[in-house]
Amino acid sequence: MKNFLKKAGAFFRRELKTLIMSVVFSVIIWFAVSIQVFPNETDHIDGIKVTAEPTVFMQQEHLTVTDFNKEISIQIQGKRYVIGTLKAEDFIASLDLSGINSPGEHTVNVDVNKVQASSDYEIITGGLTAIVNIERTVTKEIPLEVNTGNLVIDDALKIQEEEITLSAETVKISGEESLVNSVAKAVIEPFSNGVLTETTRLSGNVRLYDRNGAKIENPALEYAADNYSVTIPLYRVKTLPLNVSLSCPSNFDSSSLKYTIYPKEITIAAPADDMSIENLERIDVGEIDLTDITSRDLQGGIKLTIALAEGYKNLSNIGIAQINFEDTDSYGKRDFSVSTENFTVLNGDPTFDYSLITSQLDITAVGPSDLLYRLSSDDITGTVNLLGTPAEVGVKNLTVTLRIAGQSLTSAWINGDYKVDVSIKKKNIESD
């Protein structure tokens, strides 16, 4: 056995070259026979890239392809020696979009061609289709908001949100229609590193949010995100009660006429650098002259405008104060014809004589009904004050101040303005 192996080994060493040449020639012969007997073969190519070129119509209508299968596989048939050398890069595939005329999901044909023309093989796969999604590209302007939640404000101040001003009112967003429609709001996020103590202009960027409040960060949306600014107005804020004054006749008991004001208080604001607001204790809405008040006013109340000093703002946004009088169901009015015999003329020039030409006035008194009906014309007196009136011969129509006499009648008053004619004559002074 040992000798046999030695002899076999020696044989292979002597004939190695012959053996190798025999194998090579056998392969060549097999390859040649295969080409002659089996000249063609079938194979498949994977990973061929697919392109989607919008048509002119699609471009005019702002239609774009948003989703489709980006690769396909095909079968080919041809010369064996050619088939084995082909790759995906030797083919081009494109979507036939000629039938697209609206957004939505569409099924389209896929055209496949050779990069280099060759008659040594053919593409035997046919009828390829693909599902594509078509979106319309739109542009939309969205109102800008401001996020002030991250700003740090001095404790004594507040931001007046409705007074914030922006460098732009809207932001223009472009992209696929569904994507643009997903944007619910556009918010400027201002930058600030410290505590704000006065009205300040800040830079900021725009961020987009959907309806759920989630931030949208999609590069397919086109918009200007940077280079915005906002002015943050700061004010000192204070809530103060409202006050009204009553102008009453000298003998009128003002405590007998009770009233309430609505609203009882309002909130006002002054610029951050205006410290005068700290000294205010109330807001005066005006004065009510009792002589102007009728029984109807008592029943329905009186409205007064709430006016503030320049620079102040009414944050409560209530511009009218309603004055409602209490326990007025028993109040009424009564008309009287009052003789002027007991009227007094005061502060006249002593070198002139003054006499009343008007003998009677028809006046209206307002007050508790039971009190009015105990009242007589003799309880009403009048005074003509000539202070400041030039002493001139003639007749002057002058204002008379009327009052209800008696301590028990201090909860009623005369309604309206009244005048009387006064005759003025020079006194005759006899010489000694």
Side-chain angles (χ1 to χ4, degrees):
M1 183 65 179
K2 186 176 181 180
N3 291 332
F4 174 77
L5 292 175
K6 286 182 178 181
K7 290 180 180 180
F11 174 78
F12 279 109
R13 284 193 296 274
R14 288 195 309 270
E15 303 298 331
L16 179 60
K17 184 177 180 180
T18 302
L19 290 173
I20 292 174
M21 294 299 296
S22 298
V23 171
V24 170
F25 283 120
S26 297
V27 170
I28 293 172
I29 293 171
W30 175 84
F31 185 72
V33 170
S34 297
I35 291 175
Q36 296 298 320
V37 177
F38 305 104
N40 295 325
E41 71 172 10
T42 300
D43 200 357
H44 71 276
I45 304 294
D46 298 325
I48 299 174
K49 304 296 182 184
V50 180
T51 61
E53 187 68 27
T55 63
V56 173
F57 174 83
M58 291 175 64
Q59 293 174 356
Q60 293 173 343
E61 294 298 315
H62 306 290
L63 299 175
T64 58
V65 181
T66 60
D67 187 32
F68 63 98
N69 194 339
K70 304 296 191 301
E71 294 183 353
I72 61 169
S73 298
I74 61 171
Q75 282 190 315
I76 57 176
Q77 187 178 66
K79 303 294 185 181
R80 182 186 298 271
Y81 62 86
V82 175
I83 293 295
T85 64
L86 295 176
K87 299 178 181 178
E89 292 77 10
D90 295 313
F91 301 89
I92 54 175
S94 60
L95 301 180
D96 180 6
L97 303 177
S98 59
I100 300 299
N101 56 20
S102 65
E105 187 177 273
H106 300 266
T107 299
V108 299
N109 294 326
V110 181
D111 298 326
V112 185
N113 294 286
K114 306 170 186 177
V115 173
Q116 297 290 338
S118 174
S119 59
D120 291 334
Y121 72 95
E122 62 179 338
I123 301 169
I124 61 175
T125 298
L128 284 176
T129 59
I131 296 176
V132 297
N133 287 318
I134 306 297
E135 289 263 10
R136 190 181 302 279
T137 301
V138 298
T139 298
K140 185 177 181 181
E141 288 195 13
I142 298 181
L144 283 170
E145 304 174 20
V146 179
N147 176 21
T148 60
N150 296 326
L151 300 178
V152 181
I153 310 301
D154 185 282
D155 291 340
L157 306 176
K158 288 187 179 181
I159 299 175
Q160 295 308 301
E161 301 285 347
E162 70 280 3
E163 299 292 331
I164 292 176
T165 56
L166 315 178
S167 59
E169 295 298 323
T170 61
V171 60
K172 187 178 293 184
I173 301 175
S174 299
E176 299 163 11
E177 189 169 22
S178 61
L179 192 55
V180 170
N181 289 339
S182 71
V183 179
K185 61 180 180 179
V187 180
I188 296 179
E189 307 281 354
F191 310 132
S192 177
N193 295 323
V195 178
L196 299 184
T197 59
E198 60 183 355
T199 297
T200 308
R201 189 173 185 84
L202 301 172
S203 298
N205 292 339
V206 167
R207 299 290 180 263
L208 305 180
Y209 295 87
D210 63 19
R211 290 171 180 81
N212 297 319
K215 187 181 294 185
I216 300 174
E217 296 179 319
N218 193 320
L221 281 175
E222 298 181 5
Y223 66 101
D226 305 323
N227 300 322
Y228 293 87
S229 64
V230 296
T231 299
I232 307 295
L234 299 185
Y235 284 84
R236 296 185 181 276
V237 178
K238 196 170 186 179
T239 299
L240 295 169
L242 298 184
N243 179 70
V244 66
S245 300
L246 286 182
S247 175
C248 310
S250 58
N251 65 335
F252 182 80
D253 179 10
S254 59
S255 65
S256 68
L257 191 60
K258 294 180 173 59
Y259 58 88
T260 58
I261 303 178
Y262 178 82
K264 292 183 178 181
E265 59 186 21
I266 63 170
T267 300
I268 65 172
D273 58 352
D274 186 349
M275 300 296 294
S276 63
I277 191 173
E278 303 299 336
N279 299 324
L280 294 179
E281 296 181 354
R282 67 187 187 188
I283 298 173
D284 292 310
V285 296
E287 182 179 78
I288 298 175
D289 189 340
L290 212 56
T291 60
D292 295 332
I293 301 301
T294 66
S295 57
R296 178 176 296 180
D297 295 327
L298 292 176
Q299 301 295 333
I302 295 175
K303 292 180 172 60
L304 295 176
T305 300
I306 301 174
L308 299 178
E310 185 177 356
Y312 282 65
K313 294 183 179 296
N314 184 340
L315 300 186
S316 298
N317 201 30
I318 301 175
I320 300 295
Q322 174 75 30
I323 315 302
N324 294 321
F325 295 93
E326 300 177 3
D327 304 323
T328 57
D329 291 342
S330 63
Y331 278 68
K333 69 174 184 176
R334 186 180 176 191
D335 297 328
F336 294 88
S337 293
V338 179
S339 172
T340 65
E341 289 181 356
N342 296 324
F343 284 17
T344 303
V345 177
L346 301 177
N347 298 317
D349 188 323
T351 62
F352 285 81
D353 285 325
Y354 300 90
S355 60
L356 296 174
I357 299 175
T358 303
S359 61
Q360 180 176 295
L361 285 177
D362 294 326
I363 64 97
T364 299
V366 177
S369 297
D370 59 342
L371 186 151
L372 293 179
Y373 282 94
R374 296 197 305 268
L375 188 66
S376 70
S377 298
D378 294 335
D379 295 314
I380 300 172
T381 62
T383 301
V384 179
N385 192 344
L386 297 176
L387 188 66
T389 302
E392 299 172 343
V393 174
V395 176
K396 290 184 179 293
N397 188 244
L398 301 174
T399 298
V400 58
T401 300
L402 298 170
R403 63 178 58 84
I404 299 174
Q407 293 298 319
S408 62
L409 302 176
T410 55
S411 56
W413 64 92
I414 304 301
N415 173 244
D417 296 323
Y418 300 90
K419 290 189 175 184
V420 293
D421 290 330
V422 179
S423 174
I424 305 175
K425 296 179 180 180
K426 188 72 175 178
K427 284 184 177 181
N428 293 322
I429 302 176
E430 296 181 359
S431 60
D432 295 336

